[in-house]
Amino acid sequence: MTRTALTAVNGTTLVGLLLAAVTGTRIRRGRHGVLIAENFRFRMPAGSCFTVGSVIITNRSAEWLLAEERAPLFTHECRHAGQYALFGPLFWPAYWVACGWSIALTTSYGVRNWFEKNAGLADGHYPEELPLRPWVRKTLDRPGVRRIFGREDGRTAPPGT
């Protein structure tokens, strides 16, 4: 697969494999060219799995992740592997900036994070929408800000369209 080759060439899969080796996880082959590092024993990051390059690292077994009822979660993590193929090592700073943006606007690092939205919020077990923080709502309620973002009178398209 092109994604697998790109993450190998850009070095992100190597980082995933090194992380798996250092943390003592067992590497198994998954579907669609990804590897699964199972039984990750650390609490960070939160959640049942995360992806580094074409390596999905999970605190569960590979069988658990590959079970049919978790196909959306597996697909979500595969989409992250595709993001690594596209961004390479730049994925990490871009992802953390997107996390910061999302946390600044809401209480979640995922809801307004482009990478998580692109991977499928519901598939990754994120809420699809959360209310904006009060300071953000207050800022958006200013008439000049609404005009800049094309939301005058509740419209979502720029004025004149």
Side-chain angles (χ1 to χ4, degrees):
M1 279 186 112
T2 304
R3 176 188 68 213
T4 304
L6 287 172
T7 59
V9 168
N10 69 30
T12 56
T13 292
L14 178 61
V15 173
L17 290 170
L18 287 172
L19 178 60
V22 166
T23 58
T25 61
R26 180 177 172 205
I27 303 292
R28 307 267 308 270
R29 285 206 180 277
R31 295 187 297 263
H32 311 302
V34 299
L35 300 170
I36 300 172
E38 60 184 359
N39 299 320
F40 183 74
R41 297 287 178 217
F42 295 87
R43 291 184 183 170
M44 293 294 290
S48 59
C49 50
F50 64 99
T51 302
V52 179
S54 286
V55 181
I56 301 173
I57 302 170
T58 179
N59 58 16
R60 306 285 183 94
S61 70
E63 289 82 12
W64 176 87
L65 182 59
L66 294 170
E68 187 60 36
E69 62 268 21
R70 278 175 280 292
L73 178 59
F74 181 77
T75 300
H76 174 90
E77 296 303 330
C78 286
R79 289 180 189 132
H80 282 311
Q83 294 167 349
Y84 275 101
L86 182 63
F87 289 92
L90 294 176
F91 175 89
W92 293 300
Y95 183 85
W96 291 110
V97 167
C99 285
W101 172 257
S102 185
I103 288 170
L105 297 179
T106 68
T107 57
S108 165
Y109 72 89
V111 173
R112 298 286 177 141
N113 178 330
W114 180 87
F115 294 94
E116 293 300 345
K117 287 180 89 164
N118 183 262
L121 290 171
D123 292 344
H125 303 291
Y126 292 96
E128 294 196 56
E129 193 60 51
L130 286 174
L132 294 172
R133 291 185 184 269
W135 73 268
V136 176
R137 284 194 313 270
K138 187 175 180 180
T139 301
L140 290 175
D141 283 341
R142 295 185 177 148
V145 173
R146 284 184 183 258
R147 201 170 13 257
I148 291 169
F149 289 102
R151 287 180 169 75
E152 211 169 348
D153 299 326
R155 294 187 311 220
T156 57
T161 59

